[in-house]
Amino acid sequence: MARTTHFIQFAAASLCMAAGLLAAAPAGAETLKVGATSTGIPFTFLDVKTGKIEGMMVDVANAVAKASGDQAEITQTVFSALIPSLTTKKIDFISAAMIQTPARAEVVDFTDPVYDKYGDGLIVKQGETADIKSLDDLQGKTLGVQAGTVYYNIATKKGGFKAIRTYDSIADMARDLALGRIDAGLGDKPIMAYQIKTGNLKGVELAPHYVSIQVGHISLVVRKGDAKLLKTLNAGIAKIKANGDLDKIIAKWGI
């Protein structure tokens, strides 16, 4: 009898705990798989101490999902594979330093912007910044770009270079630049500026007189025609803009 009573008490406690967990979970909540890169400090990067992807766009994804009553599950993906992973439904949306462009808008849909005035910059070997104002000044030289970015398309369209070398990360590109294997590197100016400032890119510097070719917005990215998720994410973005959370996230990362 005592054993039966103990079982009934245990079962009742378990049911109460389960009920509490169900009550805590928002009705209709979803876990959204989010694609992010490990090489875009401070927007997205791998924190070697925790083994997790961190950064401004990770915080944005988590905040937007929370504001929408859902939760985000961050999936590490190389930049060039982000859109293919999205279109093949391996992930639900992208949260990375991906500029909104007409070409990309043909295959994916963009949310409202979460970061403005995002553009390209040019890094050169330290001490070799003189008189480089545009890609015209690098004709006949070897240029490095990150694979899968709009800058690769810009460079190939421009032409006239001795060679265009592609890299999976800005860190790899900067390493070759410091070693003299390329003459300059074209990439995301905010990322390169931040990494130079924090000492993650050594032996290189931004060309101070270089004028950005393309400046645009950073948004979350969903599959083409996914109107439901697009509406959900835009509602979440509107909330974190209105309550000041987005401004706090941007300030936290010093961008």
Side-chain angles (χ1 to χ4, degrees):
M1 181 69 177
R3 185 175 298 176
T4 302
T5 302
H6 175 74
F7 174 78
I8 292 172
Q9 290 174 337
F10 175 78
S14 298
L15 287 171
C16 288
M17 183 179 296
L21 289 172
L22 289 172
E30 294 184 42
T31 298
L32 300 171
K33 291 185 178 180
V34 185
T37 71
S38 62
T39 57
I41 299 173
F43 290 87
T44 57
F45 66 96
L46 178 65
D47 187 326
V48 294
K49 293 181 180 178
T50 64
K52 296 180 180 180
I53 303 296
E54 305 285 355
M56 177 206 149
M57 292 303 293
V58 172
D59 287 353
V60 167
N62 286 324
V64 168
K66 183 178 179 181
S68 304
D70 298 316
Q71 64 181 29
E73 179 183 301
I74 307 300
T75 301
Q76 181 177 334
T77 310
V78 297
F79 193 89
S80 59
L82 284 171
I83 289 179
S85 295
L86 180 66
T87 56
T88 56
K89 299 185 178 181
K90 292 179 181 177
I91 56 176
D92 296 305
F93 71 92
I94 297 168
S95 188
M98 181 175 286
I99 296 177
Q100 182 174 341
T101 67
R104 285 174 175 159
E106 290 180 4
V107 293
V108 296
D109 286 333
F110 291 86
T111 65
D112 294 333
V114 297
Y115 187 82
D116 294 318
K117 297 180 180 178
Y118 190 101
D120 55 292
L122 193 76
I123 52 172
V124 294
K125 197 171 183 179
Q126 213 161 36
E128 296 181 0
T129 61
D131 300 326
I132 300 176
K133 298 178 181 178
S134 71
L135 295 182
D136 291 331
D137 299 319
L138 293 168
Q139 296 296 282
K141 304 287 187 179
T142 300
L143 180 69
V145 294
Q146 188 176 0
T149 65
V150 296
Y151 311 125
Y152 176 77
N153 297 331
I154 288 172
T156 54
K157 185 177 179 180
K158 180 69 176 175
F161 302 103
K162 180 180 179 181
I164 299 173
R165 294 185 181 175
T166 58
Y167 298 88
D168 285 335
S169 71
I170 288 174
D172 290 338
M173 181 172 71
R175 191 176 302 112
D176 265 12
L177 176 58
L179 291 171
R181 293 170 180 164
I182 59 176
D183 296 295
L186 183 67
D188 300 292
K189 185 176 181 179
I191 291 177
M192 295 190 299
Y194 184 90
Q195 293 192 34
I196 289 171
K197 179 182 177 181
T198 55
N200 289 320
L201 300 184
K202 301 183 184 299
V204 302
E205 57 186 299
L206 283 168
H209 305 300
Y210 175 80
V211 179
S212 298
I213 298 170
Q214 184 164 347
V215 178
H217 305 298
I218 298 297
S219 305
L220 303 180
V221 188
V222 302
R223 276 185 294 279
K224 194 72 178 174
D226 193 346
K228 181 181 178 182
L229 183 55
L230 184 66
K231 182 179 179 180
T232 297
L233 295 180
N234 276 333
I237 289 169
K239 286 182 181 179
I240 68 171
K241 284 182 177 180
N243 65 18
D245 283 351
L246 181 58
D247 288 337
K248 290 177 183 177
I249 291 170
I250 293 172
K252 168 187 172 181
W253 291 101
I255 304 171

